[in-house]
Amino acid sequence: MTNAISLLIVDDEESVRDSLYNWFIEDGFTVKCAENAKEALTMLESENFDIILADIKMPGMDGLEMHRRIKTLSPEAIVIIMTAFASVETAVQALKDGAYDYITKPFDPDDLSHLIRNAATQIEQKAEAENFKNKETNLENIEDIVGNSQSMMQVLKEVENVSQSNSSVIITGESGTGKELIARAIHSNSSRKFFPLVTVHCGALSEDLLESELFGHEKGAFTGAMFNRKGRFEIADGGTIFLDEIATISGKMQIELLRVLETKKFVRVGGNKEIKSDFRVICATNRDLKKMVEQGTFREDLYYRLNVVNINIPPLRERPGDISLLVNYFIKKYCTNMSRDLISIEPAAMKRLEQYDFPGNVRELENMIERAIVVGNGKEIRLKDLPMKTNAPVDSSESLSELEKKHILQTLNKFDWNISRSAKVLKVDRVTLYNKIKKYDLKNPNGK
Amino acid sequence: MSKQRILFISFGQFGSDFLEKVAAAVKSEFGVPVGFDINYGVLTHFYDPSRRQYNANELIKFIHEKYGNNGAKTIGLFQVDLFIPILTFVIGQAVYKGNAGIVSLYRLKNELYGMKKDENLLFERFCKEIIHELGHTFGLTHCTSPVCVMRSSTYIEDVDEKNARFCASCKKQLDQALHEEPS
Ligand SMILES: [Zn+2]
Ligand SMILES: [Zn+2]
């Protein structure tokens, strides 16, 4: 989970120490164990721990007394009390004395991980606050988001800003632009990162399934069921729910969704207990939701609740400068996946890719590269390994002026609308270029 | 002895084509030879009647003692409900940087949650858990990438959120471990 966190387990039962030791080592913590209160207190005199997980009932010293002494030796440490069901009252007393929380043996794995994730979040936030001045803008888990064009830099900047907040986000963009990657990046860089990111592909669910999917169901609701099924909103507790293709949900679900977003409460199918969940919502769509609101097919109240922040991912044809980076990234990715040596790409093939307008965006490019590696000669990607047949982007249905318009726009985007550089490449003077921009009503996607 | 770097020991009824499919999936993710074997023994002395579950710690110990010296990462595959004393249940468990682990199919079945039986989904979940536990035996810890197979997952709902693959940084760490450990 995170390397920096140190943890001390205090329990007189060897099997408990071993099990917990193993659990936390796998989480990436630095873990030490003590058999009794005395040993733990001796360790605390010379060592600091971020989290102390201690049984309240051990021979040798009263648990509450031990807790008080731990608090004096390590006032900063987060102390979690472990208790058998019979001694819950003592644990409650420990809470009053400043323990962080308590947990009853045997633990439900989910309770334990929730507790520890909460503690880890708190420790990390504290560390971040202390290092605030020299905090670098270092986004995690974004290696799949490739591009150094101005427009992608802007997207990453928005990701960074929004990940620190709890606001609802709508990610818009044509299909294949990588909206899910952006959702992942927001989650992974938020304080919710230790908790789940739950993805719901709204378009893939039928309405009768959607309810049980989102809200879960009690085991009694179906014959033969031995366990409850948690719904997506419940799993997302502490984390983020990502609703992909939000525009596809029915009117009935829009009402349900709005209610859950407002109350953060719901009931499982077949149940009557109200369940609370603390989640953040990120949605994605390739449709124009605003227009759907105007047409009356998407609820306005829901739209405003979801659309607090909007991040728009530019289509690939508007950032052709990123194509070569993406090509090299996908070559590396697929050669590694297929356990092959890295291959190169022939300049003519790269050029052809840079001229293509990718209606299917990054996903289309990715599929092309994967296919080219499979069908190719194992050394380099050649022009003939690509699905486009000819060397020039000619579409016979396009008029000459349409082609000119497209070519000028691509060139401008490639150089981030630097007029001098674009004019030079297009072999026209700047005035001519300005006139063409006017003639074709070309717009800078970054709005300058 | 065997050159297998990964070995599966099945306890209880698994179809042989099911196990072969699992072995193939694991082999393609780790890129090392994978073998499997069957244990016909009975599990009665691992059963805890008060919890009506099987003791995962004891089973791992057993696997380590019986198969641990052949040098392969050995994963016991089970159909029964597993627990460790401190937790109400576990789906799988492994010795961190060790040679033994176990995974059970039991809690991965849709039917137990009142949902339609789904063999493909079951296979996928089982592979994810096996690859995850193997990752621990190769020294990988839990990963915060939401889709990485090393993401910690205590319930099937969490298992379904992640992929059966390592993320780039876990893959790198794994490849290093595979190189370091002699076969
Ligand atoms: Zn794990
Ligand atoms: Zn990972």
Side-chain angles (χ1 to χ4, degrees):
Chain A
M1 202 173 256
T2 166
N3 289 321
I5 296 180
S6 59
L7 187 133
L8 176 63
I9 297 161
V10 194
D11 200 298
D12 56 326
E13 261 181 85
E14 192 187 355
S15 73
V16 171
R17 287 198 304 274
D18 286 352
S19 300
L20 288 174
Y21 180 86
N22 198 46
W23 172 284
F24 288 112
I25 281 286
E26 290 182 350
D27 257 346
F29 293 115
T30 314
V31 192
K32 289 199 174 161
C33 296
E35 268 179 53
N36 52 48
K38 203 170 150 234
E39 194 186 344
L41 292 169
T42 315
M43 285 167 87
L44 286 171
E45 277 168 14
S46 57
E47 227 173 315
N48 278 319
F49 292 91
D50 296 309
I51 303 174
I52 299 164
L53 194 61
D55 193 320
I56 195 100
K57 214 169 178 199
M58 286 181 299
M61 191 184 294
D62 167 30
L64 288 175
E65 177 61 23
M66 171 183 72
H67 177 243
R68 277 175 212 130
R69 292 213 205 161
I70 289 176
K71 276 279 149 197
T72 344
L73 282 168
S74 279
E76 301 277 289
I78 290 179
V79 183
I80 297 168
I81 300 294
M82 296 186 279
T83 166
F85 191 65
S87 51
V88 166
E89 271 173 38
T90 327
V92 172
Q93 181 57 47
L95 279 192
K96 286 182 187 153
D97 290 349
Y100 180 73
D101 210 337
Y102 75 92
I103 183 162
T104 319
K105 286 180 185 177
F107 318 147
D108 182 299
D110 215 24
D111 290 345
L112 181 60
S113 57
H114 249 83
L115 198 56
I116 297 300
R117 284 164 175 174
N118 272 327
T121 307
Q122 184 173 316
I123 291 163
E124 195 170 278
Q125 278 172 346
K126 212 171 136 206
E128 260 171 27
E130 278 163 12
N131 300 326
F132 194 71
K133 281 165 221 110
N134 47 17
K135 193 185 163 235
E136 284 172 43
T137 55
N138 226 342
L139 289 170
E140 282 176 46
N141 284 321
I142 56 158
E143 50 281 340
D144 290 334
I145 303 169
V146 179
N148 59 13
S149 59
Q150 211 190 326
S151 52
M152 278 316 280
M153 288 298 150
Q154 182 59 31
V155 167
L156 287 180
K157 209 169 154 62
E158 285 165 13
V159 165
E160 198 183 333
N161 289 340
V162 80
S163 58
Q164 307 302 324
S165 78
N166 240 335
S167 317
S168 305
V169 181
I170 290 193
I171 303 166
T172 48
E174 291 176 12
S175 68
T177 45
K179 295 185 284 293
E180 189 163 356
L181 296 180
I182 297 296
R184 248 179 247 163
I186 295 172
H187 173 77
S188 301
N189 289 284
S190 74
S191 59
R192 296 174 171 268
K193 69 176 175 189
F194 296 127
F195 291 89
L197 167 68
V198 176
T199 301
V200 183
H201 297 285
C202 301
L205 291 171
S206 64
E207 190 172 319
D208 48 326
L209 266 181
L210 194 59
E211 218 182 350
S212 159
E213 248 333 278
L214 292 182
F215 308 130
H217 57 246
E218 298 280 336
K219 57 186 173 189
F222 295 88
T223 43
M226 296 186 65
F227 309 116
N228 296 327
R229 162 85 182 176
K230 289 197 275 182
R232 301 306 182 95
F233 282 115
E234 194 175 342
I235 311 167
D237 187 23
T240 306
I241 192 157
F242 174 51
L243 304 169
D244 200 4
E245 298 170 57
I246 186 73
T248 61
I249 64 169
S250 69
K252 182 174 162 256
M253 270 319 295
Q254 291 181 27
I255 299 172
E256 294 262 321
L257 186 57
L258 181 66
R259 195 178 46 75
V260 178
L261 295 184
E262 275 168 355
T263 59
K264 301 269 163 113
K265 282 183 209 154
F266 49 88
V267 175
R268 290 188 191 131
V269 174
N272 45 26
K273 200 178 91 193
E274 203 161 63
I275 292 170
K276 270 182 115 166
S277 179
D278 163 37
F279 54 83
R280 178 203 198 151
V281 187
I282 301 178
C283 302
T285 182
N286 54 11
R287 304 269 300 273
D288 185 347
L289 278 187
K290 188 95 207 264
K291 207 170 188 178
M292 290 178 68
V293 170
E294 281 158 20
Q295 289 164 347
T297 47
F298 200 86
R299 291 182 68 95
E300 188 173 18
D301 43 9
L302 181 59
Y303 173 74
Y304 283 110
R305 188 158 274 279
L306 295 173
N307 190 23
V308 177
V309 178
N310 174 216
I311 296 181
N312 183 254
I313 313 175
L316 187 52
R317 66 183 164 279
E318 283 176 17
R319 49 182 188 109
D322 286 342
I323 289 175
S324 64
L325 283 175
L326 281 159
V327 167
N328 288 319
Y329 173 78
F330 290 133
I331 289 178
K332 199 170 160 211
K333 175 175 168 183
Y334 285 101
C335 287
T336 315
N337 276 357
M338 299 176 204
S339 303
R340 293 183 177 198
D341 292 333
L342 273 192
I343 64 171
S344 58
I345 177 163
E346 161 187 286
M350 183 66 102
K351 192 165 172 226
R352 183 69 189 85
L353 287 170
E354 285 177 329
Q355 288 166 345
Y356 182 64
D357 71 352
F358 291 101
N361 290 297
V362 180
R363 191 185 300 137
E364 185 182 7
L365 173 60
E366 177 167 4
N367 292 342
M368 267 186 204
I369 300 296
E370 185 184 9
R371 180 183 166 277
I373 294 173
V374 173
V375 302
N377 64 3
K379 288 194 207 80
E380 61 172 5
I381 294 177
R382 297 153 301 176
L383 188 56
K384 66 174 180 185
D385 300 328
L386 298 173
M388 310 89 125
K389 295 285 177 287
T390 52
N391 195 22
V394 174
D395 179 345
S396 55
S397 65
E398 281 177 313
S399 68
L400 191 59
S401 64
E402 272 170 43
L403 272 179
E404 185 184 56
K405 175 181 170 184
K406 209 180 213 172
H407 184 55
I408 292 172
L409 184 63
Q410 274 179 1
T411 310
L412 284 165
N413 285 332
K414 183 166 179 172
F415 296 106
D416 280 330
W417 281 66
N418 182 317
I419 301 295
S420 309
R421 284 179 68 194
S422 304
K424 207 165 165 188
V425 169
L426 291 166
K427 299 200 173 78
V428 294
D429 59 52
R430 293 175 57 213
V431 178
T432 311
L433 182 53
Y434 273 120
N435 286 335
K436 297 273 183 198
I437 290 172
K438 221 167 149 190
K439 175 181 166 195
Y440 294 123
D441 191 26
L442 301 177
K443 295 250 159 55
N444 182 347
N446 295 315
K448 276 192 309 189
Chain B
M1 258 189 72
S2 85
K3 282 214 185 72
Q4 267 126 22
R5 304 279 308 269
I6 294 171
L7 183 62
F8 295 133
I9 310 292
S10 66
F11 294 76
Q13 291 285 316
F14 288 90
S16 66
D17 43 337
F18 182 82
L19 288 184
E20 259 166 65
K21 249 170 73 188
V22 169
V26 170
K27 187 173 174 231
S28 90
E29 195 53 29
F30 286 82
V32 296
V34 174
F36 52 90
D37 207 345
I38 301 171
N39 186 303
Y40 295 99
V42 283
L43 299 176
T44 32
H45 47 275
F46 301 100
Y47 185 68
D48 183 325
S50 67
R51 295 187 56 152
R52 296 156 81 192
Q53 290 171 307
Y54 292 78
N55 190 317
N57 286 349
E58 296 300 320
L59 284 167
I60 288 192
K61 232 181 265 169
F62 170 76
I63 287 168
H64 179 73
E65 276 158 21
K66 189 161 163 69
Y67 303 94
N69 54 10
N70 66 9
K73 306 288 187 192
T74 307
I75 306 288
L77 307 179
F78 293 84
Q79 297 270 8
V80 296
D81 200 15
L82 305 173
F83 78 98
I84 59 175
I86 193 70
L87 293 178
T88 49
F89 72 91
V90 291
I91 297 172
Q93 175 94 341
V95 182
Y96 180 71
K97 289 188 179 171
N99 270 341
I102 58 177
V103 177
S104 170
L105 208 53
Y106 185 81
R107 298 241 171 190
L108 302 177
K109 292 178 180 162
N110 252 2
E111 307 88 277
L112 296 192
Y113 303 84
M115 297 169 73
K116 229 172 79 197
K117 193 169 170 169
D118 187 334
E119 289 296 328
N120 287 333
L121 190 59
L122 183 65
F123 167 74
E124 219 174 88
R125 289 170 178 165
F126 200 43
C127 287
K128 286 178 189 175
E129 288 308 283
I130 292 169
I131 293 169
H132 179 100
E133 296 307 336
L134 278 167
H136 284 317
T137 66
F138 284 104
L140 299 187
T141 56
H142 289 153
C143 177
T144 51
S145 161
V147 291
C148 176
V149 73
M150 289 315 291
R151 175 101 190 171
S152 111
S153 50
T154 43
Y155 284 88
I156 54 160
E157 292 91 339
D158 306 326
V159 178
D160 290 342
E161 293 300 324
K162 63 185 186 183
N163 294 333
R165 311 204 71 135
F166 295 100
C167 73
S169 88
C170 287
K171 179 85 183 148
K172 207 168 134 197
Q173 219 183 315
L174 174 72
D175 285 344
Q176 245 164 20
L178 281 166
H179 273 285
E180 277 162 20
E181 293 198 19
S183 41

